[in-house]
Amino acid sequence: EVQLVESGGGLVQPGRSLRLSCAASGFTFDDYAMHWVRQAPGKGLEWVSGISWNSGSIGYADSVKGRFTISRDNAKNSLYLQMNSLRAEDTALYYCAKDRFGELDAFDIWGQGTMVTVSS
Amino acid sequence: QSALTQPASVSGSPGQSITISCTGTSSDVGSYNLVSWYQQHPGKAPKLMIYEVSKRPSGVSNRFSGSKSGNTASLTISGLQAEDEADYYCCSYAGSSTYVVFGGGTKLTVL
Protein backbone atom coordinates (compact mmCIF):
# COMPACT_ATOMS: atom_id res chain seq x y z
CA GLU A 1 0.00 0.00 0.00
CA VAL A 2 1.30 3.43 -0.95
CA GLN A 3 1.55 5.49 2.19
CA LEU A 4 2.95 8.77 3.50
CA VAL A 5 3.18 9.37 7.24
CA GLU A 6 4.10 12.81 8.57
CA SER A 7 5.52 13.48 12.01
CA GLY A 8 7.24 16.20 13.98
CA GLY A 9 4.45 18.71 14.39
CA GLY A 10 3.53 20.35 17.67
CA LEU A 11 3.27 23.58 19.61
CA VAL A 12 6.25 25.89 19.24
CA GLN A 13 6.96 29.49 20.26
CA PRO A 14 7.44 32.22 17.64
CA GLY A 15 11.02 32.43 16.46
CA ARG A 16 11.79 28.82 17.31
CA SER A 17 12.46 25.87 14.97
CA LEU A 18 10.79 22.60 14.13
CA ARG A 19 11.67 19.73 11.81
CA LEU A 20 8.95 17.77 10.04
CA SER A 21 9.48 14.29 8.63
CA CYS A 22 7.55 12.24 6.11
CA ALA A 23 8.07 8.47 5.90
CA ALA A 24 7.18 6.95 2.54
CA SER A 25 6.34 3.34 1.78
CA GLY A 26 4.78 1.24 -0.95
CA PHE A 27 6.53 2.90 -3.91
CA THR A 28 10.03 3.58 -5.24
CA PHE A 29 10.65 6.81 -3.34
CA ASP A 30 13.66 7.99 -5.33
CA ASP A 31 11.70 7.97 -8.60
CA TYR A 32 9.43 10.84 -7.59
CA ALA A 33 9.45 14.49 -6.64
CA MET A 34 7.99 15.26 -3.23
CA HIS A 35 6.27 18.31 -1.76
CA TRP A 36 5.02 19.95 1.40
CA VAL A 37 1.60 21.60 1.25
CA ARG A 38 -0.02 23.33 4.22
CA GLN A 39 -3.51 24.32 5.22
CA ALA A 40 -4.18 26.88 7.93
CA PRO A 41 -7.26 26.19 10.07
CA GLY A 42 -10.38 26.87 8.00
CA LYS A 43 -8.33 28.06 5.02
CA GLY A 44 -7.27 26.74 1.62
CA LEU A 45 -4.25 24.82 0.44
CA GLU A 46 -0.88 26.51 0.12
CA TRP A 47 2.12 24.88 -1.56
CA VAL A 48 5.16 25.30 0.70
CA SER A 49 8.07 23.57 -0.99
CA GLY A 50 9.01 20.86 -3.45
CA ILE A 51 12.08 18.77 -4.27
CA SER A 52 12.83 16.73 -7.37
CA TRP A 53 13.71 13.05 -7.27
CA ASN A 54 17.46 13.66 -7.02
CA SER A 55 17.28 16.93 -5.04
CA GLY A 56 18.55 18.73 -8.13
CA SER A 57 15.55 21.04 -8.30
CA ILE A 58 14.11 22.71 -5.19
CA GLY A 59 11.47 25.39 -4.86
CA TYR A 60 9.89 27.39 -2.06
CA ALA A 61 6.86 29.60 -1.66
CA ASP A 62 7.81 33.25 -1.12
CA SER A 63 6.18 33.08 2.33
CA VAL A 64 8.78 30.59 3.60
CA LYS A 65 11.81 31.32 1.43
CA GLY A 66 14.91 31.82 3.56
CA ARG A 67 13.30 30.26 6.63
CA PHE A 68 12.36 26.73 5.57
CA THR A 69 14.60 24.06 4.02
CA ILE A 70 13.35 20.95 2.27
CA SER A 71 15.49 17.84 1.96
CA ARG A 72 15.18 14.15 1.29
CA ASP A 73 17.06 10.97 2.12
CA ASN A 74 16.34 8.44 -0.60
CA ALA A 75 18.14 5.71 1.31
CA LYS A 76 15.67 6.18 4.17
CA ASN A 77 12.59 6.84 1.99
CA SER A 78 12.11 10.07 3.90
CA LEU A 79 11.28 13.71 3.23
CA TYR A 80 12.04 16.53 5.65
CA LEU A 81 11.12 20.16 6.23
CA GLN A 82 13.34 22.21 8.51
CA MET A 83 11.35 25.21 9.68
CA ASN A 84 13.25 28.09 11.31
CA SER A 85 12.14 31.50 12.59
CA LEU A 86 8.57 30.28 12.87
CA ARG A 87 5.76 32.82 12.84
CA ALA A 88 2.13 32.70 13.94
CA GLU A 89 1.10 32.64 10.28
CA ASP A 90 2.94 29.33 9.83
CA THR A 91 0.30 27.66 11.98
CA ALA A 92 -1.24 24.99 9.77
CA LEU A 93 -1.69 21.32 9.00
CA TYR A 94 1.34 20.30 6.96
CA TYR A 95 0.82 17.62 4.33
CA CYS A 96 3.50 15.59 2.63
CA ALA A 97 2.57 14.88 -0.98
CA LYS A 98 4.06 12.63 -3.66
CA ASP A 99 4.35 13.87 -7.21
CA ARG A 100 3.33 11.81 -10.23
CA PHE A 101 6.81 12.16 -11.72
CA GLY A 102 10.41 12.95 -10.82
CA GLU A 103 9.80 16.61 -11.53
CA LEU A 104 6.65 18.69 -10.82
CA ASP A 105 3.44 17.41 -12.32
CA ALA A 106 0.64 16.84 -9.81
CA PHE A 107 0.26 15.53 -6.27
CA ASP A 108 -1.21 12.04 -6.46
CA ILE A 109 -0.65 10.72 -2.93
CA TRP A 110 -1.10 12.71 0.28
CA GLY A 111 -0.39 11.94 3.90
CA GLN A 112 -2.81 12.73 6.69
CA GLY A 113 -0.82 15.73 7.82
CA THR A 114 0.95 16.92 10.96
CA MET A 115 -0.26 19.99 12.82
CA VAL A 116 2.10 22.85 13.57
CA THR A 117 0.94 25.52 16.01
CA VAL A 118 3.10 28.61 16.50
CA SER A 119 2.08 30.46 19.62
CA SER A 120 3.56 31.91 22.77
CA GLN B 1 -5.30 36.42 -1.56
CA SER B 2 -4.74 33.31 -3.70
CA ALA B 3 -2.81 33.33 -6.95
CA LEU B 4 -5.58 31.50 -8.83
CA THR B 5 -9.17 32.75 -8.60
CA GLN B 6 -12.03 30.33 -7.97
CA PRO B 7 -15.65 31.03 -7.03
CA ALA B 8 -16.14 30.62 -3.31
CA SER B 9 -19.12 28.34 -3.76
CA VAL B 10 -21.20 26.53 -6.35
CA SER B 11 -24.23 24.33 -5.98
CA GLY B 12 -26.30 21.91 -7.99
CA SER B 13 -28.97 19.28 -7.64
CA PRO B 14 -28.33 15.53 -7.95
CA GLY B 15 -27.98 14.53 -11.57
CA GLN B 16 -27.12 18.02 -12.77
CA SER B 17 -23.76 19.25 -14.05
CA ILE B 18 -21.67 22.04 -12.58
CA THR B 19 -18.50 23.78 -13.66
CA ILE B 20 -15.89 25.36 -11.41
CA SER B 21 -13.63 27.95 -12.98
CA CYS B 22 -10.02 28.69 -12.09
CA THR B 23 -8.61 31.92 -13.46
CA GLY B 24 -4.90 32.56 -13.49
CA THR B 25 -2.55 34.54 -15.70
CA SER B 26 -0.29 34.07 -18.68
CA SER B 27 2.46 33.21 -16.18
CA ASP B 28 0.75 30.12 -14.82
CA VAL B 29 -2.46 28.58 -16.22
CA GLY B 30 -2.01 30.24 -19.58
CA SER B 31 1.55 29.03 -20.09
CA TYR B 32 1.60 25.46 -18.84
CA ASN B 33 -0.55 22.36 -19.23
CA LEU B 34 0.19 21.47 -15.62
CA VAL B 35 -3.18 22.31 -14.11
CA SER B 36 -4.52 19.87 -11.55
CA TRP B 37 -7.68 19.65 -9.45
CA TYR B 38 -8.12 18.29 -5.92
CA GLN B 39 -11.18 17.23 -3.97
CA GLN B 40 -11.17 17.59 -0.20
CA HIS B 41 -13.85 16.31 2.13
CA PRO B 42 -14.00 17.78 5.66
CA GLY B 43 -11.24 16.47 7.89
CA LYS B 44 -9.65 14.50 5.06
CA ALA B 45 -6.55 14.88 2.93
CA PRO B 46 -6.97 16.22 -0.59
CA LYS B 47 -7.44 13.76 -3.45
CA LEU B 48 -6.16 14.24 -6.99
CA MET B 49 -9.07 14.34 -9.45
CA ILE B 50 -7.55 15.81 -12.64
CA TYR B 51 -3.95 16.31 -13.75
CA GLU B 52 -2.34 17.91 -16.81
CA VAL B 53 -5.54 19.91 -17.44
CA SER B 54 -7.81 17.07 -18.48
CA LYS B 55 -6.42 13.66 -17.49
CA ARG B 56 -8.06 11.48 -14.87
CA PRO B 57 -6.10 9.26 -12.48
CA SER B 58 -7.07 5.64 -12.32
CA GLY B 59 -10.10 5.19 -10.13
CA VAL B 60 -11.55 8.67 -10.57
CA SER B 61 -15.05 8.68 -12.03
CA ASN B 62 -15.44 9.80 -15.65
CA ARG B 63 -18.09 12.21 -14.36
CA PHE B 64 -15.14 14.49 -13.61
CA SER B 65 -13.54 16.30 -16.53
CA GLY B 66 -11.13 19.19 -16.97
CA SER B 67 -10.39 21.73 -19.65
CA LYS B 68 -8.52 24.96 -20.24
CA SER B 69 -8.98 28.04 -22.40
CA GLY B 70 -6.43 30.79 -22.24
CA ASN B 71 -5.76 31.71 -18.62
CA THR B 72 -8.82 29.90 -17.27
CA ALA B 73 -9.10 26.23 -16.38
CA SER B 74 -12.36 24.50 -15.58
CA LEU B 75 -13.53 21.42 -13.71
CA THR B 76 -16.87 19.96 -14.74
CA ILE B 77 -18.74 17.41 -12.68
CA SER B 78 -21.63 15.74 -14.45
CA GLY B 79 -24.38 13.64 -12.91
CA LEU B 80 -23.88 15.23 -9.50
CA GLN B 81 -24.01 12.86 -6.56
CA ALA B 82 -24.28 13.54 -2.85
CA GLU B 83 -20.72 12.31 -2.29
CA ASP B 84 -19.37 15.00 -4.63
CA GLU B 85 -20.11 17.60 -1.95
CA ALA B 86 -16.66 18.80 -0.95
CA ASP B 87 -14.11 21.57 -1.42
CA TYR B 88 -12.31 21.69 -4.76
CA TYR B 89 -8.95 23.31 -5.41
CA CYS B 90 -7.18 24.04 -8.67
CA CYS B 91 -3.41 24.16 -8.90
CA SER B 92 -0.94 25.20 -11.57
CA TYR B 93 2.75 25.24 -12.23
CA ALA B 94 3.87 28.87 -12.38
CA GLY B 95 7.43 28.76 -13.63
CA SER B 96 10.77 28.24 -11.97
CA SER B 97 10.47 31.29 -9.71
CA THR B 98 6.96 31.01 -8.23
CA TYR B 99 6.82 27.25 -8.88
CA VAL B 100 3.30 26.25 -7.72
CA VAL B 101 0.10 28.18 -7.07
CA PHE B 102 -3.26 27.01 -5.72
CA GLY B 103 -6.69 28.52 -6.06
CA GLY B 104 -8.58 29.64 -3.00
CA GLY B 105 -10.95 26.68 -3.19
CA THR B 106 -14.61 26.23 -4.10
CA LYS B 107 -17.19 24.69 -1.82
CA LEU B 108 -19.56 22.49 -3.78
CA THR B 109 -22.98 21.94 -2.26
CA VAL B 110 -25.24 19.23 -3.61
CA LEU B 111 -28.78 20.42 -2.92
Side-chain angles (χ1 to χ4, degrees), chain A residues 3-91:
Chain A
Q3 195 172 12
L4 298 172
V5 179
E6 302 93 336
S7 61
L11 174 62
V12 61
Q13 293 179 328
R16 303 297 291 266
S17 299
L18 209 57
R19 189 195 197 206
L20 305 184
S21 299
C22 171
S25 59
F27 64 98
T28 306
F29 183 72
D30 53 12
D31 278 350
Y32 300 96
M34 297 293 296
H35 303 266
W36 289 99
V37 178
R38 69 184 180 184
Q39 187 169 34
K43 302 297 184 181
L45 301 174
E46 179 188 15
W47 177 81
V48 174
S49 182
I51 185 169
S52 63
W53 65 280
N54 64 352
S55 303
S57 179
I58 289 176
Y60 297 97
D62 285 345
S63 58
V64 306
K65 203 170 291 185
R67 299 188 299 122
F68 290 11
T69 302
I70 192 172
S71 63
R72 63 190 295 162
D73 185 336
N74 288 344
K76 294 183 177 180
N77 291 344
S78 293
L79 176 72
Y80 305 102
L81 186 67
Q82 178 66 43
M83 304 185 296
N84 298 332
S85 303
L86 282 161
R87 307 167 180 168
E89 53 265 36
D90 296 318
T91 293

Side-chain angles (χ1 to χ4, degrees), chain A residues 37 45-47 107 110, chain B residues 2-4 38 89-91 100-104:
Chain A
V37 178
L45 301 174
E46 179 188 15
W47 177 81
F107 316 131
W110 296 65
Chain B
S2 301
L4 304 179
Y38 302 87
Y89 295 90
C90 63
C91 178
V100 177
V101 289
F102 273 98

Side-chain angles (χ1 to χ4, degrees), chain A residues 35 37 39 43-47 50-51 57-60 62 65 95 100-101 103-108 110-112, chain B residues 34-36 38 40 43-48 50-52 89 91-94 97-105:
Chain A
H35 303 266
V37 178
Q39 187 169 34
K43 302 297 184 181
L45 301 174
E46 179 188 15
W47 177 81
I51 185 169
S57 179
I58 289 176
Y60 297 97
D62 285 345
K65 203 170 291 185
Y95 291 105
R100 293 187 63 251
F101 291 125
E103 303 285 341
L104 176 70
D105 184 81
F107 316 131
D108 62 348
W110 296 65
Q112 287 305 302
Chain B
L34 291 176
V35 176
S36 50
Y38 302 87
Q40 187 180 35
K44 300 295 186 181
K47 175 185 176 182
L48 177 64
I50 295 288
Y51 66 95
E52 294 175 8
Y89 295 90
C91 178
S92 175
Y93 178 65
S97 177
T98 305
Y99 217 76
V100 177
V101 289
F102 273 98

Side-chain angles (χ1 to χ4, degrees), chain B residues 33-103:
Chain B
N33 288 325
L34 291 176
V35 176
S36 50
W37 290 88
Y38 302 87
Q39 177 192 66
Q40 187 180 35
H41 287 108
K44 300 295 186 181
K47 175 185 176 182
L48 177 64
M49 304 303 285
I50 295 288
Y51 66 95
E52 294 175 8
V53 176
S54 60
K55 299 177 182 178
R56 273 189 314 275
S58 174
V60 171
S61 171
N62 59 9
R63 298 186 299 106
F64 291 82
S65 62
S67 62
K68 188 183 85 168
S69 176
N71 297 336
T72 298
S74 298
L75 173 71
T76 297
I77 309 174
S78 60
L80 269 180
Q81 299 179 1
E83 61 260 35
D84 298 334
E85 186 164 291
D87 293 325
Y88 291 85
Y89 295 90
C90 63
C91 178
S92 175
Y93 178 65
S96 58
S97 177
T98 305
Y99 217 76
V100 177
V101 289
F102 273 98

